[in-house]
Amino acid sequence: METVKKKKKIFPIVLMAVIVIGIIFGFTKYLYSLHHEETDDAQIDNDINPVITRITGYISDIRFEENQAVKKGDTLVLIDDRDLQIKLAQAMAGLENAKASLSVAESNVSSAIANYETVKSTAESAKIKVWKSTQDFTRFQNLINEKAVTQQQFDGAKAEKETADAQQQIANNQQAAASSLVDAAKKQILVANAMIDQKQVDVDFARLQLTFATILAPANGIASKKNIQPGQLVNAGSPLFAIVADSNLYVVANFKETQLEKMNKGNTVEVIVDAFPKTKFEGTVYSFSAVTGAKFSLLPPDNATGNFVKVVQRIPVKIAIKVSDELKNKLRPGMSVKVSVHID
């Protein structure tokens, strides 16, 4: 009987203790919720650099293994570049040919100028002859009026004047033609220079294409998702592998739209990774997505049909985190985490 009485006395005490603990726990949680927003719809993320080939060719060598740490600038893949070497040689030969054409054009200009000077001298000589023959003709014309010379002598002076005039006209025409040849030769230099520029562009492009045959690591990180083999034909635009950066880890947390009222950039965040539940580290709200997560989905919801069912949307929030180097080496993008944002 005494045992029964003791049990009857203990039960209310235990019940009261449970109720008190429950009230304290609930009140604590309530106070916590007033200053924090939580979600477990979150994961570790990082910068992932897809490496895509810019030329078509056969893989000649692969210099990394799956999940191998690489440094920026490391040579990771080589593409057979023999055809690119030939194209570069052709472009360089075209450039040399264009330079030779420029030399020929410059020589033609020199020849045209020399010819012009010769024709110009001939025109000057013809001008002098016209002056002399005109003077002689004038004198003979005066003398024949006075019957001091014969008609034959007068006709000879007249013929010399007309011949000199004709020769001067021919010389002037030749001088104009020679001047046109000089202008044409100078324009050929411009054409040759333009051709050199074009061929130089061809050489630069061929060299650029040749550099694309060597695939370098775009950043420090881990080479992953390798989907190539030696001897494989890859087309321009084909993804070869990806580099997961070994720094700049951050968290993307999808909060309900109703949780964002008091959340601001710069709020402190407590982060717990599911894989390491005993380890907590701090973060900071860095930015908010411009749209809801549903808008970025492959088939975003369309309520234009009128069959509208209201669903609470989620907004991706980027959280910058601070972790030790030891933990950073263990964290991987895609790991699930739980975040708690301290709000005012």
Side-chain angles (χ1 to χ4, degrees):
M1 292 295 292
E2 292 182 0
T3 304
V4 175
K5 290 181 179 180
K6 288 181 179 180
K7 288 183 179 180
K8 288 181 178 181
K9 291 179 179 180
I10 294 174
F11 179 76
I13 296 174
V14 173
L15 180 60
M16 184 61 68
V18 171
I19 292 173
V20 171
I21 292 173
I23 292 173
I24 294 174
F25 179 78
F27 185 72
T28 303
K29 284 293 184 181
Y30 172 74
L31 289 178
Y32 185 83
S33 65
L34 292 177
H35 300 282
H36 296 81
E37 292 291 353
E38 295 181 329
T39 184
D40 58 358
D41 186 359
Q43 62 180 10
I44 300 290
D45 210 338
N46 201 350
D47 295 332
I48 300 177
N49 300 295
V51 179
I52 299 174
T53 178
R54 300 180 66 173
I55 60 173
T56 298
Y58 290 92
I59 301 295
S60 61
D61 191 17
I62 300 176
R63 298 184 176 181
F64 73 98
E65 299 293 336
E66 182 75 8
N67 299 325
Q68 176 183 328
V70 298
K71 297 292 184 181
K72 181 178 180 179
D74 288 349
T75 300
L76 302 183
V77 178
L78 296 178
I79 298 177
D80 188 356
D81 62 356
R82 287 175 293 180
D83 56 338
L84 299 177
Q85 294 280 6
I86 293 174
K87 291 180 180 179
L88 176 58
Q90 290 175 339
M92 295 181 69
L95 178 60
E96 293 301 321
N97 185 46
K99 290 180 178 179
S101 298
L102 176 61
S103 298
V104 172
E106 290 173 344
S107 299
N108 290 339
V109 169
S110 299
S111 299
I113 292 175
N115 180 62
Y116 173 78
E117 294 297 331
T118 300
V119 173
K120 182 179 179 181
S121 298
T122 302
E124 292 293 333
S125 176
K127 183 178 179 180
I128 294 173
K129 288 182 179 180
V130 167
W131 176 82
K132 182 177 181 304
S133 62
T134 300
Q135 295 294 323
D136 292 342
F137 175 74
T138 301
R139 284 194 294 269
F140 273 95
Q141 192 174 32
N142 294 330
L143 291 174
I144 198 168
N145 291 332
E146 298 174 0
K147 306 296 183 177
V149 294
T150 64
Q151 184 66 37
Q152 182 179 7
Q153 290 174 321
F154 174 76
D155 291 341
K158 182 179 180 182
E160 287 183 5
K161 179 182 180 304
E162 292 176 350
T163 300
D165 289 340
Q167 289 178 344
Q168 184 185 29
Q169 184 62 40
I170 293 173
N172 289 337
N173 292 338
Q174 290 177 341
Q175 183 177 2
S179 178
S180 298
L181 290 176
V182 172
D183 293 338
K186 289 180 178 180
K187 290 180 179 179
Q188 286 299 318
I189 289 181
L190 297 178
V191 173
N193 282 321
M195 183 61 67
I196 288 177
D197 293 339
Q198 178 183 341
K199 295 301 181 181
Q200 183 63 57
V201 170
D202 293 341
V203 170
D204 294 340
F205 179 75
R207 283 179 176 155
L208 180 63
Q209 291 292 102
L210 186 60
T211 62
F212 294 154
T214 303
I215 310 297
L216 306 178
N220 297 336
I222 298 176
S224 186
K225 202 178 180 181
K226 184 179 76 170
N227 54 7
I228 53 174
Q229 298 296 330
Q232 178 181 340
L233 175 64
V234 293
N235 295 315
S238 299
L240 305 181
F241 55 93
I243 299 293
V244 181
D246 58 3
S247 59
N248 197 30
L249 287 172
Y250 56 90
V251 170
V252 175
N254 300 297
F255 285 94
K256 296 178 181 178
E257 55 187 324
T258 55
Q259 295 179 284
L260 301 180
E261 180 181 3
K262 298 181 180 180
M263 195 178 302
N264 297 298
K265 181 178 179 180
N267 289 149
T268 58
V269 184
E270 183 182 85
V271 181
I272 300 177
V273 183
D274 289 1
F276 310 100
K278 296 181 180 180
T279 303
K280 297 180 181 180
F281 51 90
E282 294 183 355
T284 305
V285 174
Y286 185 79
S287 63
F288 298 85
S289 174
V291 298
T292 64
K295 283 296 183 180
F296 281 137
S297 63
L298 182 62
L299 297 173
D302 185 2
N303 299 319
T305 60
N307 300 321
F308 178 72
V309 178
K310 184 175 182 179
V311 177
V312 177
Q313 299 296 312
R314 289 185 177 268
I315 308 294
V317 177
K318 183 177 180 180
I319 298 172
I321 57 176
K322 301 176 183 178
V323 295
S324 63
D325 292 338
E326 181 181 357
L327 184 58
K328 184 185 295 185
N329 294 331
K330 297 180 180 179
L331 296 180
R332 293 292 182 269
M335 281 185 169
S336 299
V337 300
K338 181 180 178 181
V339 299
S340 177
V341 179
H342 179 78
I343 58 177
D344 298 332

